Each structure stands twice: as C-alpha cells, then as structure tokens.
Amino acid sequence: MEKTGVYINAKDVKGRINPEIYGNFSEHLGRCIYEGIYVGESSTIPNTRGIRNDIVKAFRHIKLPVLRWPGGCFADEYHWKDGIGEKSSRKKMINTNWGGVVEDNSFGTHEFFDLCEQIGCEPYIAGNLGSGTVNELAEWIEYMTFDGVSPMAELRRKNGREKPWKLKYLGIGNENWGCGGNMRAQYYVDEYRRYQSFCKNFSGNELFKIACGPNADDWDWTEVIMKNLGPWHTRGISLHYYTVPSGNWDKKGSARDFTDEEYYETIRKTLYMETLLTRHGQIMDRYDPAHNIGLIVDEWGCWYDVEEGTNPGFLYQQNTMRDAVVAACNLNILNSHCDRVIMANIAQAVNVLQAVILTEGAGMVLTPTYHVFDMYKAHQGADSVYCYVDTAKAGEKIPMVSASASVKDDAMTITLANCSVSDDTEVKINIAGYEAGKISDAVIMNAPVRELNDFDDPDRVNIKEFDDVSLYEGNVTATLPACSIVRITLEK
Ligand code: AHR
C-alpha cells in the first residue's frame, strides 16, 4: 500500500479562514432560482413566502455563510427596478445569456434578502456595470440601505420593507472582460472608479466593494486592476476559474460518463487553482503588501456538457464522487491561501453546474459536493495552520493526497482527500505545536468515482463514521481508501 506523510505545525498560523470561503453563487440561470430556490407562494412544495423550505434547511445545515446573486452574466443585464413592487406588474424580460427564456422578475431584491435572512447568510449583490448606469446602481444601494427620507427609501417602504437591509458585499460588474462588456482592463478599471464613487455608505452600512478581477490566468488583468484601483477602499477583486476536463469549451466532457484518464485530468486542472492563487497573490502583494484587498474566487467548480435532453442554456449537470474530490481539493487549497483569499462561491447553489443541491419538482438531492461542504464546515472561522503533504503520484499526473488543517477553540480539524481511483494509502499525520489528547470525531465519504446521488436513490453517497484511524503519542495514523474524503477532529 502507498504511504503518505502529512506534516502539520499548529504554531505556524497562515491566517483565519474567513467563513465566506464556503460561500455559494446563485444566478437567474436555468432552474437555479426558479424551481430550485423559489417556487412562489401558491406552490404545493412547502415554502415560506415562495422560498423552498427544504433548500433553506439544507443551507442552514452546512452553515452557508454568503450567497452571491443575481449573476453571473445575468447581473450585467439585470435592472433591479424590474424586480420590485406588485409581482403581476413586474416587467418580463428575455434572459439573453441563458436560453432566451422569459424572466418574469418574480424573484427580486426583497425575495433575495428574505432568502438570505431565512438561511442566515450574508447577501452578496453583483451590480450591473456592463449595461446599467451609475445612477441605477447608486439608487439600488440607496433603496437597500438608506434609513432616512429619500425617494428610494420611500419606494422600499411602499413595497413593504420599512427598515433597510444590511448589505456588505457589493460586486461592481461581473466578468467585464467577457459577457460583462468585453472591456479591456484599463477601460474597466476607469469605469469601476467612476461607479464606485457613487456607491455610498448609508445609515451605518459599510460596503465592501469588489472589482472585477481576472479570468483564470490572465495575469495582465490583475496587474492593471491592482495598479489603477486607487485609494477608494476597494476591499476585493474577483477571480473566476472553472475546471473544464477536456479544456475545450465546445466539448467539455460528460459529468458522469468519463474515463479514469479524464478523471485524473479533471483533478490536475483543478489543482491549477494553487498556481492561480499563488501568482495572482504575488501580483497583488506588489501593490497591496498589507493584504487590505482580498481575492474573491466568486465562481469555481466543474463545468461539463449538459445532461442529455436538457436545455443547453440551463447548464444542468449531475454530480459524482469526482466532483466531491474536486471540491475537497479546491477547499483545501483555499484554506491554505486564507491570508489573501477571503471569499469563494461555488458555481452554483442549485441545479446549475457543480451544484450542491439538485431538485426535481418536490424532490431534492444533496450531491456529493454538498457533503464535502458539510464535512468541511468545521474549518469556517478557524486558524489555518501549516500542512505539508508528502505523497505518491496518482494516475501518473497528480499528488495522491490533498489535505488542510485548522484550529479553532482548541480543536484541530484535518481534512484529507485520497484522489486515487484505485489505491488505498496509509497516512501518518505528524503534528507539531499541538498536543492531541483524543480523536473526538472522524468521518468519511467513500464511493467509486462515478457514484452519484439521484432522485431514485438520493443517499447512495453520504458521510459515515470513520474507524480506520488512531492516535499514538500525539500523531495520527489512518488508512484512506481509494477515492475518499476524510475529516478528523482532534482535541487536547
Ligand atoms: O456560472 C455560469 C457563468 O459562468 C456565469 O454567469 C459567468 O459569470 C461565467 O462565465
């Protein structure tokens, strides 16, 4: 059996893992918002003011910290005034990016804040810079956050909300190098400077302004943005990186029908996140050595060809153990870069791309990816500590084991993924700077790489107790089966 060494030093703290690293992204795309999250008050599916109760419960369970909305590409064609007031008189529009379907705007600002309040998460609004106006965005902020007497605050009250909401995270544009206007970096950053000038802090609300950052490894974009942001309290720049197994956007590969070689290539491409965070971080360090500006990976995950027979514009795909391994590796990487990365949002929450939840009518399936978020939630708000993995190669392409470790309230959480589809590995975890007295909890998710949960069998892949682990003189030994994800909790 392969042997793996993991070396943890609890005294070497990289930083606090902002809970927002475990965020989700929800767009008006396919069946994410409509059907997936929002079914309307007259639906027979149990709901609270139109929002599905099962979805809220599932997100509360994983302690979802933040939800990004309304897009994506949709954000730069969204006009927020279409989504307020009496539903029957809300404007109907074409969702030009996603299938050309009718958007009836029945889910808008009030419904989104209601959703976040029900879940107990921070709202993250993506504002329209691509096809909107400065005034439109300024008025939206006034509508959401101003407590005094003003036209937008009065309009909000007229629509049934007396008190303003708290809004922290505000993105100013989305993918403005692409669907958000096909802008060049210098042009975008000038526009960003203008837009952000009119995004005001009202009534004690403090905006955390986020500029559009790079697409994957577009280092130049990061350079130009960081150089020109100006001293106006920008707190974050975004990064989008999708794992596309084939690397070919016209034929990305199937979500459930793949070879071992395609699997290893998927993980290899996922691990590129490490390079992206390191190199974009190095560019940011030159302009912001104090780390005042965070990197916000507000779109990540696997992007495959859509499920057969579904609308190509809806981006609906199934989710297997491969996706769980992708999520585990990405979250381990994000944990270890928490000194720069302060938020991440998997794409997307429900029924789109690497969804954590799938729905069909009243049915709901928690995907293997969901269970990874569940296992990893113990990292939220903990101190990320040094964790080095010495491991064999799997599939001749990738390191066999990925890991990260954190400490909170004297408990240490260690998460590991064995990325091999065929080989078990014995792992010795050597721990310095922390005197482990007991293993207080250990869980595993382990299934063949193509295994998935569906509506006939929603519980095929799930978390179980893990027994093959022991503690001896402060160090841990465990045997990780092929294709498994494990969480070990230690206490003093
Ligand atoms: O998540 C789907 C799309 O991917 C988003 O709308 C866009 O921002 C990205 O290209």
Side-chain angles (χ1 to χ4, degrees):
M1 195 188 313
E2 295 290 357
K3 292 206 181 326
T4 298
V6 176
Y7 300 86
I8 294 172
N9 182 358
K11 287 206 172 131
D12 189 351
V13 176
K14 291 172 180 230
R16 176 176 178 267
I17 300 171
N18 207 20
E20 278 84 335
I21 285 178
Y22 289 82
N24 271 223
F25 165 40
S26 60
E27 180 166 12
H28 288 239
L29 193 178
R31 298 187 302 113
C32 180
I33 296 293
Y34 301 113
E35 288 185 43
I37 291 174
Y38 185 76
V39 286
E41 284 170 63
S42 58
S43 171
T44 53
I45 299 171
N47 69 82
T48 303
R49 294 178 292 281
I51 295 165
R52 289 178 73 128
N53 294 343
D54 53 355
I55 294 283
V56 168
K57 187 170 169 220
F59 281 130
R60 288 181 73 87
H61 179 72
I62 57 171
K63 296 193 172 19
L64 184 73
V66 62
L67 189 62
R68 179 174 182 245
W69 173 84
C73 297
F74 182 82
D76 277 296
E77 66 173 12
Y78 183 61
H79 301 285
W80 67 273
K81 282 185 186 160
D82 297 347
I84 55 170
E86 194 46 56
K87 289 200 190 209
S88 56
S89 46
R90 291 190 194 177
K91 236 188 227 170
K92 294 189 174 38
M93 61 181 272
I94 319 164
N95 190 331
T96 62
N97 285 289
W98 307 118
V101 295
V102 176
E103 163 63 55
D104 71 2
N105 279 302
S106 53
F107 188 91
T109 305
H110 291 249
E111 291 76 16
F112 175 63
F113 277 97
D114 189 10
L115 170 66
C116 292
E117 281 171 359
Q118 289 188 37
I119 295 172
C121 71
E122 288 281 349
Y124 171 11
I125 294 268
N128 179 348
L129 177 145
S131 74
T133 65
V134 174
N135 186 50
E136 186 183 8
L137 184 56
E139 286 193 331
W140 198 7
I141 293 160
E142 183 187 318
Y143 185 89
M144 292 185 281
T145 63
F146 187 57
D147 202 8
V149 176
S150 82
M152 291 305 114
E154 291 308 321
L155 185 57
R156 183 191 68 237
R157 290 188 189 105
K158 192 176 136 235
N159 288 332
R161 175 80 188 194
E162 173 61 33
K163 283 279 151 206
W165 296 282
K166 281 278 171 223
L167 174 68
K168 184 173 175 186
Y169 298 112
L170 175 73
I172 303 183
N174 167 75
E175 294 196 353
N176 302 93
W177 36 259
C179 63
N182 288 303
M183 299 172 190
R184 288 170 298 163
Q186 187 61 59
Y187 179 78
Y188 166 74
V189 79
D190 286 342
E191 283 290 278
Y192 171 81
R193 287 162 68 130
R194 187 163 75 99
Y195 270 71
Q196 73 80 35
S197 311
F198 301 93
C199 296
K200 309 277 186 189
N201 289 329
F202 292 120
S203 312
N205 185 72
E206 203 177 319
L207 294 171
F208 190 108
K209 296 175 204 165
I210 300 161
C212 169
N215 178 23
D217 52 12
D218 186 348
W219 319 119
D220 286 347
W221 184 279
T222 304
E223 186 84 43
V224 174
I225 300 300
M226 287 303 296
K227 193 172 178 180
N228 293 288
L229 273 177
W232 296 294
H233 312 299
T234 297
R235 300 292 305 280
I237 68 166
S238 61
L239 163 69
H240 288 184
Y241 178 58
Y242 284 99
T243 301
V244 178
S246 70
N248 172 0
W249 283 89
D250 293 330
K251 202 160 179 20
K252 297 176 268 301
S254 158
R256 47 165 103 200
D257 184 12
F258 52 90
T259 62
D260 285 357
E261 203 174 74
E262 284 165 335
Y263 162 77
Y264 285 117
E265 184 57 14
T266 307
I267 305 303
R268 193 186 70 77
K269 290 209 161 81
T270 296
L271 298 177
Y272 189 51
M273 182 69 89
E274 173 69 44
T275 305
L276 293 174
L277 300 184
T278 303
R279 289 197 54 185
H280 286 299
Q282 283 163 352
I283 298 169
M284 293 175 79
D285 282 349
R286 287 212 303 279
Y287 297 98
D288 172 38
H291 287 209
N292 290 323
I293 299 176
L295 195 53
I296 298 199
V297 189
D298 55 20
E299 291 187 30
W300 68 266
C302 285
W303 193 323
Y304 307 118
D305 297 330
V306 298
E307 288 291 303
E308 242 178 78
T310 65
N311 186 329
F314 282 15
L315 310 187
Y316 178 74
Q317 61 191 43
Q318 248 295 356
N319 195 294
T320 65
M321 269 303 284
R322 169 172 65 167
D323 296 273
V325 174
V326 165
C329 290
N330 266 329
L331 292 171
N332 285 334
I333 295 170
L334 292 163
N335 282 344
S336 68
H337 281 271
C338 67
D339 54 334
R340 180 61 85 177
V341 178
I342 52 162
M343 192 200 302
N345 310 73
I346 191 170
Q348 295 194 3
V350 189
N351 291 333
V352 171
L353 298 177
Q354 191 177 340
V356 296
I357 300 176
L358 302 176
T359 67
E360 219 174 74
M364 180 183 82
V365 163
L366 305 175
T367 66
T369 300
Y370 175 92
H371 294 305
V372 174
F373 273 78
D374 191 11
M375 291 171 83
Y376 275 56
K377 69 187 175 196
H379 285 303
Q380 292 188 23
D383 284 339
S384 175
V385 296
Y386 175 90
C387 178
Y388 174 77
V389 185
D390 181 11
T391 184
K393 282 244 178 296
E396 293 168 24
K397 271 198 163 155
I398 55 156
M400 188 171 184
V401 172
S402 154
S404 67
S406 70
V407 179
K408 184 164 69 177
D409 300 334
D410 267 357
M412 176 178 282
T413 299
I414 306 166
T415 47
L416 306 125
N418 178 0
C419 306
S420 169
V421 290
S422 51
D423 296 332
D424 301 354
T425 180
E426 192 180 292
V427 182
K428 170 114 194 275
I429 308 175
N430 307 274
I431 304 171
Y434 180 91
E435 299 212 348
K438 62 172 182 186
I439 297 173
S440 56
D441 165 65
V443 291
I444 185 167
M445 188 163 68
N446 173 216
V449 71
R450 290 164 198 86
E451 201 65 278
L452 49 80
N453 292 332
D454 56 24
F455 295 90
D456 295 330
D457 196 348
D459 228 12
R460 224 181 264 129
V461 184
N462 209 333
I463 308 168
K464 298 184 182 66
E465 268 181 41
F466 180 50
D467 295 328
D468 214 342
V469 56
S470 58
L471 179 70
Y472 180 68
E473 292 186 342
N475 298 320
V476 176
T477 309
T479 302
L480 305 189
C483 200
S484 65
I485 295 153
V486 163
R487 182 193 69 213
I488 300 165
T489 314
L490 305 175
E491 278 176 32
K492 288 193 170 166

